[in-house]
Amino acid sequence: MKIKNILLLAVAFLVVFTACQDDEYEMPNDMAGIGWYTSAFRNEQIMIGINDFVSFSDVSQNAVSHTWTIPEGSFLLEGPISRTDSVLEDFIIPDAGLETTDLTIHVLFTKGGLQPVRLYNTFDKKVTFFGRDTLEAKKEGDLWVIDTTFMVDVFDTIVPSVLIRQEGVEVPVNEDTIYVEAGGTLEFVDVSTVGRANSWEWRVAGEMSTDSAATIVFKKLGVFEATLNISRQGESLPGDYQFYRIPNPIKVIPSSKPWELAGDIVELEDETIQLPFNGEFLPFMNKNDFFVVKVNGEAFPISSVTIDANDATLLNIKLVDPIYRPDVITVSILDGSGINSSDYRSLTPFEDEPVMMHDVNLLSATGYGFEDGGSAWSPSWDNASTIEFTTEKAASGNYSMKITREGAKAKVESFNEKFSFTGGKVYTIKYKIFIESTAGGAYGVWLIPNWKQFWQSLDNKPTGEWVTVETEWAPSADEPDRHFLVQMNGDGVFYFDDFYIVEKEVRP
């Protein structure tokens, strides 16, 4: 990035000349032109870290005078300066002030923020600079002036600053111990105002978060520390990194709250039933008899009940027999199990808590839920109606697809989000429609390119509410690279959302 006076050799490439206003021929050495060069080269923005420098060269031709003016908090350096020079203060020109008439200057910036460097040139004839911005000289007395300011964005050294909250109340950041009950949380927030950090890594009690604000759940008893790696990263940004150790020790003590379920019971893809709790389990064995799992109202035999290997607040149940997506499953825990948490609380029993079944949508939730603003969809070539992707209403998320038909063809296709079917399997296809107004008729959702159509009546559906439409498809052979076409054959205003395809499961 360092520039030496040899840059003046580039004058032939950097100066743009304009002839005088009259018609008389002038020799080349009488021509005037404006040009400059910086160590940022072609970058439109000059960005550096604090205590670094930028070089500027004025390569104007036949200027009457020129002056560089630098801002307070910056210093002129004596070149040449090499990349290995780290103590730039040694190059400061004593008593140089903030102005110079040198052609090439090296400016050390010791103050963060936007810093202006001004070049003031005068000529005895009118000149024009054709760069990113066209600059016309202005007449001042007998001379023509081009007055240019370069803005240097100086990134300060990151100064970490952290806020801690416990149950919504701010905790002072000092050497006092913070007491947290097992299963409780602390919120850590980066409130740094100096250095413009854009990357974070919190590490607390074995947990990690990469957000600027992190909520940490404390599961183990003991004394822990919290640290923050904070940095500024980017291809064109001057990098910086700081490590900050929060001075407060964090002591996790036994909880005064019941040890109980802390969220939904879910079925995982491998048919494991997983239960979350607000505390870690102590190891146990042979406790299957204290758990009851009902499938469609019937108790099924349990193969195992184990603590999750990666998270001791999770309990995993495996059944002897397979389970299927349409099954309705509940879980109960009986009293007297003798299972304890790591802070020696007894497991709270419960009865017939429902299980959220594992669901695999073969479609992109973003593309077919329109959360990308509809980039996967486009009107068909013969569409003559209004197709919009809007936040006016949505079945879930923020976006839906809006079709307004008034006597013209209304067709839209998901060209950019393909999906595939396997022959011999049965698939459930679902989507949601909101009918704002309708003149009746029908509409179709087609599979393209095999032109399989699923027609639906508009006359038998309610208006003013989201309705789920479901159908099935059983291809006899593999069908790769399919997409949807939605065709409205009745006038009105319609919204679509949450297209969904899943392989159908049926309990034998």
Side-chain angles (χ1 to χ4, degrees):
M1 151 176 140
K2 320 307 183 192
I3 303 299
K4 301 180 181 179
N5 289 340
I6 196 170
L7 288 173
L8 294 176
L9 295 174
V11 64
F13 302 100
L14 300 171
V15 182
V16 180
F17 300 101
T18 59
C20 294
Q21 297 297 303
D22 56 36
D23 295 328
E24 295 180 7
Y25 174 79
E26 292 188 355
M27 294 295 291
N29 61 358
D30 290 333
M31 296 180 69
I34 180 72
W36 51 73
Y37 198 90
T38 80
S39 53
F41 297 101
R42 295 185 179 182
N43 293 333
E44 293 189 19
Q45 291 182 299
I46 305 177
M47 297 187 294
I48 63 168
I50 199 165
N51 298 321
D52 202 350
F53 77 98
V54 179
S55 297
F56 302 84
S57 286
D58 179 12
V59 291
S60 303
Q61 184 169 352
N62 290 329
V64 173
S65 67
H66 89 117
T67 304
W68 292 101
T69 304
I70 63 175
E72 294 283 350
S74 58
F75 300 89
L76 293 169
L77 304 180
E78 181 71 42
I81 307 170
S82 75
R83 292 180 179 273
T84 59
D85 292 319
S86 58
V87 186
L88 297 177
E89 289 82 357
D90 292 346
F91 294 87
I92 293 176
I93 303 172
D95 303 320
L98 302 178
E99 289 189 357
T100 181
T101 57
D102 290 346
L103 291 175
T104 297
I105 62 171
H106 312 287
V107 185
L108 171 66
F109 295 90
T110 64
K111 182 179 177 182
L114 290 174
Q115 304 297 327
V117 175
R118 182 188 183 194
L119 173 61
Y120 186 89
N121 281 2
T122 64
F123 300 87
D124 59 6
K125 54 178 66 69
K126 186 175 182 179
V127 294
T128 303
F129 175 71
F130 298 100
R132 292 189 180 94
D133 299 307
T134 300
L135 300 177
E136 292 282 355
K138 296 181 179 179
K139 190 73 175 294
E140 293 185 6
D142 295 331
L143 297 175
W144 294 88
V145 173
I146 284 190
D147 192 352
T148 307
T149 298
F150 303 86
M151 299 304 297
V152 181
D153 195 355
V154 181
F155 285 73
D156 215 331
T157 301
I158 294 172
V159 179
S161 181
V162 170
L163 180 148
I164 305 173
R165 294 193 190 99
Q166 185 174 29
E167 297 181 355
V169 178
E170 184 175 346
V171 178
V173 179
N174 52 34
E175 295 184 356
D176 293 343
T177 298
I178 302 173
Y179 292 89
V180 184
E181 291 190 358
T185 63
L186 289 178
E187 183 185 10
F188 299 87
V189 184
D190 171 42
V191 291
S192 306
T193 58
V194 179
R196 289 179 273 180
N198 61 9
S199 180
W200 304 267
E201 182 183 277
W202 302 91
R203 290 189 177 272
V204 189
E207 303 292 324
M208 186 184 75
S209 174
T210 56
D211 293 327
S212 60
T215 299
I216 304 296
V217 180
F218 292 85
K219 303 171 182 178
K220 295 179 180 292
L221 300 181
V223 178
F224 305 96
E225 70 173 15
T227 62
L228 171 63
N229 292 320
I230 183 171
S231 60
R232 182 175 62 237
Q233 303 177 19
E235 183 176 349
S236 59
L237 293 176
D240 192 25
Y241 167 88
Q242 298 293 327
F243 174 80
Y244 179 67
R245 190 185 307 276
I246 295 173
N248 303 72
I250 301 168
K251 186 170 184 178
V252 183
I253 61 177
S255 176
S256 61
K257 299 177 182 178
W259 186 33
E260 57 191 3
L261 276 177
D264 293 326
I265 304 174
V266 297
E267 180 214 3
L268 305 182
E269 187 174 2
D270 65 354
E271 299 184 16
T272 297
I273 297 172
Q274 190 167 83
L275 295 75
F277 289 84
N278 62 342
E280 291 191 329
F281 284 83
L282 285 177
F284 63 83
M285 296 178 63
N286 303 322
K287 297 295 184 178
N288 293 12
D289 292 344
F290 291 92
F291 294 82
V292 178
V293 179
K294 294 179 182 178
V295 180
N296 302 322
E298 178 185 350
F300 268 42
I302 295 173
S303 172
S304 64
V305 179
T306 57
I307 302 169
D308 187 81
N310 299 314
D311 187 343
T313 67
L314 301 175
L315 207 59
N316 296 329
I317 299 177
K318 294 285 287 187
L319 300 181
V320 173
D321 299 317
I323 54 182
Y324 298 86
R325 193 171 295 111
D327 287 337
V328 177
I329 301 179
T330 61
V331 177
S332 302
I333 295 182
L334 306 181
D335 197 7
S337 67
I339 298 174
N340 292 316
S341 67
S342 60
D343 59 340
Y344 303 103
R345 291 176 287 165
S346 297
L347 190 59
T348 303
F350 57 80
E351 185 175 359
D352 293 336
E353 287 288 335
V355 176
M356 293 183 61
M357 301 301 291
H358 179 66
D359 205 1
V360 182
N361 187 358
L362 300 181
L363 303 179
S364 159
T366 300
Y368 283 95
F370 307 104
E371 293 308 297
D372 57 0
S375 64
W377 294 71
S378 298
S380 302
W381 67 271
D382 57 345
N383 174 73
S385 294
T386 302
I387 310 293
E388 301 174 85
F389 301 94
T390 177
T391 58
E392 291 176 12
K393 57 173 54 71
S396 66
N398 298 312
Y399 280 86
S400 66
M401 179 171 66
K402 180 181 181 181
I403 302 176
T404 304
R405 185 184 191 276
E406 297 177 351
K409 288 184 179 180
K411 293 182 179 180
V412 59
E413 301 183 52
S414 59
F415 293 108
N416 298 324
E417 285 281 2
K418 302 297 178 63
F419 51 86
S420 301
F421 296 112
T422 300
K425 295 186 176 182
V426 179
Y427 295 88
T428 299
I429 301 173
K430 294 194 292 187
Y431 56 87
K432 295 175 183 176
I433 181 172
F434 186 104
I435 303 174
E436 186 170 284
S437 63
T438 180
Y443 71 94
V445 174
W446 301 64
L447 286 177
I448 306 297
N450 51 331
W451 295 97
K452 171 63 182 177
Q453 53 187 297
F454 302 99
W455 285 103
Q456 292 285 330
S457 172
L458 289 168
D459 297 320
N460 60 5
K461 291 181 174 56
T463 60
E465 64 181 77
W466 286 102
V467 177
T468 299
V469 179
E470 181 174 333
T471 188
E472 291 184 359
W473 174 236
S476 58
D478 291 353
E479 295 184 357
D481 297 329
R482 270 25 184 186
H483 69 272
F484 284 128
L485 180 153
V486 177
Q487 176 180 342
M488 307 304 300
N489 282 9
D491 286 354
V493 179
F494 314 94
Y495 297 83
F496 288 84
D497 205 356
D498 295 342
F499 281 78
Y500 165 101
I501 297 177
V502 69
E503 184 181 336
K504 185 177 181 181
E505 289 186 347
V506 179
R507 176 167 286 281

